[in-house]
């Protein structure tokens, strides 16, 4: 069993021609011994426990390699927090697996259960032996991780490098341990009241649109594609625009979302970077709605999907949003109307919210229409998927144009921020290697609805940098907290 698990670990991508470091081997063997002991405690049969422990390692290997192929990174400890979401929203995940493979997996799992059930032993001795071995192996793991030699071998995040050095299982454990020890930053102050600001043109309306899988098609395909008139116009009139340097590819919306909402860089987050929403509530004072509340802004969060995803139902009110609008607040999609609320419908909701706002208002919207998969009704090859993606992209682009049109006639100083959360992962069209940037545009309007021009040169931004730029549009001299950009002590 242990030899088989080591062979499986050696096949995890990215691979290395060198042997794993001894610390990784020790941790791997102890973890796999613990897994074997857990199954032995349950089944009381050493053969069944060995098969199940090997199958557990195989599951992690397959999942990690599939993720690496699609998203460009191996499995990380925070991915395990998404297991509940797999059962709550299976089509979010299983649609990425071909139907034939899903049937094979389901039949294989059923056959395995049928074969293993008769192996459960009624004798207490093997169950007790498993429990004793589990205590011994897990206790040894606990002592090793508390010691300095193992506790400090991954001082900073380097996921791909650490998987090649220490192996998948050891890296999962070490990163989880470092994540647990990462302290929360010092609280961040709110902004000064807007009436006290030297900038009389501070926007009364801040509209931020985080657009699902929005990318400039010329950046992701060599095929001839029609232009996006909304994006072209937004760039032409933008106060600022450029490439938006996100860390994820094809997924991990919450990494981009966190960066824009909280303004803390990945260097500052340390091991919290892989799923910053897991610890975001302890950093609530850094959030845009919390900081803008001091300047008199009320805040609305709009997302036409299940708010339990990434625990947004609990997080968004906790970080200062006065109003949270989810899928229950939208009409159900008609037959043949697509899986998710389309972006133009969402845009109309944003216009309605903005028009009813009587005080300074932040509206942060997260779109859903362009979420994969992108299989076309007429074609399920790469060309069909690209065509389906481009069709939804044009809907997002039309929404951008609608919002610009509304704000130009609203009569209040306004700030429109629009960006893609990550590039799409479309089999046969896009791949995780190479550039990952998406476009962003910032359009400003004065009291008369006139465009406020800025520097015509494009400027690249990260999500955290965009957060601080939004704050400076309200309060130009606002200071950036050290904890937003610097690496934490751990």
């Amino acid at each position: 069993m242990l030899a088989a698990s080591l062979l499986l670990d050696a096949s995890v991508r990215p691979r290395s021609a060198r042997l794993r470091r001894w610390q990784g081997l020790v941790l791997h063997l102890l973890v796999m011994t613990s897994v074997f002991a857990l199954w032995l405690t349950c089944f009381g049969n050493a053969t069944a426990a060995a098969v199940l422990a090997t199958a557990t390692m195989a599951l992690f290997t397959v999942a990690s390699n599939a993720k690496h192929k699609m998203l460009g990174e191996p499995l990380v400890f925070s991915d395990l927090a998404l297991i509940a979401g797999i059962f709550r929203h299976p089509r979010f995940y299983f649609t990425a697996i071909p139907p034939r493979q899903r049937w094979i997996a389901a039949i294989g799992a059923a056959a395995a259960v049928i074969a293993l059930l008769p192996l459960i032993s009624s004798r207490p001795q093997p169950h007790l032996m498993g429990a004793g071995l589990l205590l011994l192996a897990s206790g040894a793991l606990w002592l090793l991780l508390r010691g300095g030699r193992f506790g400090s071998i991954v001082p900073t995040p380097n996921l791909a490098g650490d998987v090649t050095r220490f192996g998948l299982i050891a890296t999962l454990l070490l990163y989880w341990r470092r994540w647990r020890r990462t302290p929360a930053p010092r609280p961040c102050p709110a902004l000064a009241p807007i009436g006290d600001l030297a900038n009389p043109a501070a926007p009364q309306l801040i509209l931020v649109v985080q657009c699902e899988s929005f990318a400039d098609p010329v950046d992701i395909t060599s095929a001839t594609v029609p232009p996006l008139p909304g994006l072209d116009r937004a760039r032409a009139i933008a106060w600022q625009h450029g490439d938006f340097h996100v860390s994820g590819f094809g997924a991990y919306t919450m990494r981009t979302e966190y960066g824009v909402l909280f303004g803390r860089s990945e260097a500052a987050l340390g091991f919290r970077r892989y799923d910053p929403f897991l610890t975001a509530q302890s950093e609530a004072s850094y959030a845009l709605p919390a900081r803008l509340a001091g300047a008199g802004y009320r805040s609305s969060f709009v997302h036409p999907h299940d708010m339990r995803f990434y625990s947004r139902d609990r997080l968004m009110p906790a970080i200062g949003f006065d109003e949270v609008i989810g899928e229950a607040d939208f009409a159900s999609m008609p037959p043949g109307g697509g899986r998710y609320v389309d972006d133009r419908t969402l845009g109309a909701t944003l216009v309605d919210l903005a028009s009813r706002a009587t005080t300074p208002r932040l509206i942060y919207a997260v779109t859903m229409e362009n979420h994969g998969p992108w299989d076309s009704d007429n074609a399920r090859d790469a060309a069909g998927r690209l065509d389906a993606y481009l069709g939804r992209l044009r809907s997002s682009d039309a929404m951008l144009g609608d919002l610009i049109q509304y704000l130009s006639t609203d009569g209040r100083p306004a700030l429109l921020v629009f960006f893609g959360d990550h590039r799409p992962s479309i089999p046969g069209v896009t791949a995780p290697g190479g550039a990952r940037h998406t476009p962003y545009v910032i359009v400003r309007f004065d009291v008369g609805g006139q465009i406020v021009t800025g520097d015509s040169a494009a400027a690249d931004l990260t999500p955290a940098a965009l957060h601080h730029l939004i704050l400076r549009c309200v309060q130009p001299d606002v200071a950036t907290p050290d904890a937003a950009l610097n690496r934490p002590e751990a």
Side-chain angles (χ1 to χ4, degrees):
M1 181 275 298
L2 292 177
S5 72
L6 287 171
L7 289 174
L8 286 167
D9 186 66
S11 68
V12 172
R13 299 188 182 99
R15 298 173 184 169
S16 173
R18 298 182 179 180
L19 295 175
R20 305 295 195 205
R21 293 190 180 178
W22 69 268
Q23 297 99 324
L25 293 174
V26 169
L27 292 175
H28 175 95
L29 293 174
L30 284 174
V31 169
M32 291 309 303
T33 300
S34 299
V35 173
F36 168 81
L38 177 63
W39 288 120
L40 182 59
T41 303
C42 296
F43 279 79
N45 184 297
T47 300
V51 170
L52 287 168
T54 304
T56 302
M57 183 63 211
L59 178 64
F60 274 79
T61 300
V62 170
S64 185
N65 285 345
K67 181 191 170 189
H68 187 271
K69 180 180 179 180
M70 292 184 63
L71 307 180
E73 71 176 45
L75 206 64
V76 68
F77 72 93
S78 56
D79 292 329
L80 302 181
L82 301 176
I83 290 176
I86 294 175
F87 295 99
R88 190 178 294 153
H89 299 282
R91 70 181 182 181
F92 242 63
Y93 301 92
F94 292 129
T95 48
I97 305 173
R100 183 166 177 256
Q101 293 184 19
R102 294 202 297 268
W103 276 107
I104 292 173
I107 294 171
V113 170
I114 294 171
L116 289 170
L117 282 177
L119 298 179
I120 298 177
S121 174
S122 60
R123 296 184 300 115
Q125 291 88 345
H127 297 276
L128 293 174
M129 289 178 60
L133 182 60
L134 179 61
L135 286 173
L136 184 64
S138 59
L141 266 177
W142 181 77
L143 290 173
L144 283 178
L145 291 174
R146 283 181 58 87
R149 183 182 292 273
F150 281 80
S152 60
I153 58 176
V154 285
T156 56
N158 178 8
L159 184 57
D162 287 331
V163 167
T164 60
R165 281 187 289 270
F166 302 107
L168 176 63
I169 298 301
T171 301
L172 289 171
L173 185 62
L174 290 167
Y175 274 43
W176 170 80
R177 174 70 172 166
R178 294 289 292 175
W179 172 78
R180 292 270 298 175
R181 296 179 61 188
T182 301
R186 295 177 182 177
C188 183
L191 297 190
I194 199 168
D196 297 341
L197 301 179
N199 178 18
Q204 296 292 305
L205 182 62
I206 302 174
L207 180 53
V208 182
V209 179
Q210 174 182 310
C211 198
E212 172 65 39
S213 298
F214 189 90
D216 191 332
V218 300
D219 290 335
I220 64 172
T221 178
S222 58
T224 302
V225 293
L228 298 177
L231 180 61
D232 289 344
R233 179 170 182 245
R235 283 169 166 167
I237 64 175
W239 180 71
Q240 185 170 310
H241 72 93
D243 292 339
F244 196 51
H245 289 279
V246 300
S247 66
F249 172 86
Y252 293 115
T253 293
M254 76 291 197
R255 295 179 186 174
T256 303
E257 189 172 330
Y258 173 91
V260 178
L261 279 174
F262 289 80
R264 298 190 67 217
S265 69
E266 293 199 343
L269 285 168
F271 290 89
R272 291 184 171 192
R273 71 179 63 183
Y274 298 105
D275 187 349
F277 271 19
L278 292 176
T279 50
Q281 198 161 329
S282 66
E283 305 166 14
S285 62
Y286 287 78
L288 271 179
R291 299 203 70 190
L292 289 171
Y297 286 80
R298 289 183 61 79
S299 301
S300 301
F301 183 85
V302 186
H303 181 43
H305 192 55
D306 188 345
M307 285 290 181
R308 293 174 297 175
F309 232 80
Y310 301 130
S311 301
R312 288 187 180 102
D313 58 329
R314 298 191 301 271
L315 177 61
M316 297 309 165
I319 65 174
F321 281 105
D322 303 288
E323 181 181 30
V324 177
I325 298 172
E327 66 176 342
D329 300 289
F330 291 83
S332 300
M333 294 300 294
R339 286 186 173 185
Y340 309 112
V341 173
D342 67 274
D343 286 352
R344 297 199 78 172
T345 297
L346 173 61
T349 299
L350 300 180
V351 167
D352 180 64
L353 280 173
S355 64
R356 291 189 284 108
T358 57
T359 60
R361 173 75 62 158
L362 164 69
I363 302 174
Y364 194 105
V366 179
T367 76
M368 274 303 296
E369 181 181 4
N370 213 0
H371 198 287
W374 292 279
D375 283 339
S376 167
D377 292 335
N378 301 318
R380 294 183 178 273
D381 57 5
R385 288 188 286 266
L386 177 61
D387 182 66
Y389 170 76
L390 293 175
R392 300 183 207 174
L393 197 67
R394 286 189 286 271
S395 178
S396 305
D397 185 69
M399 173 187 62
L400 175 58
D402 293 343
L403 295 175
I404 291 174
Q405 177 61 32
Y406 165 73
L407 293 174
S408 66
T409 61
D410 179 72
R412 289 173 290 180
L415 181 72
L416 172 62
V417 180
F418 182 96
F419 59 89
D421 60 349
H422 52 71
R423 292 187 179 190
S425 177
I426 308 176
V429 179
T430 63
R436 295 189 172 191
H437 65 266
T438 63
Y440 82 91
V441 289
I442 301 174
V443 185
R444 296 190 71 171
F445 304 85
D446 63 15
V447 176
Q450 298 298 309
I451 301 297
V452 179
T453 58
D455 189 343
S456 60
D460 295 354
L461 287 180
T462 64
L466 179 58
H467 167 101
H468 296 289
L469 186 59
I470 293 170
L471 291 180
R472 286 196 295 273
C473 289
V474 177
Q475 184 174 325
D477 60 349
V478 63
T480 300
D482 287 342
L485 301 177
N486 295 338
R487 186 187 305 164
E489 296 294 331

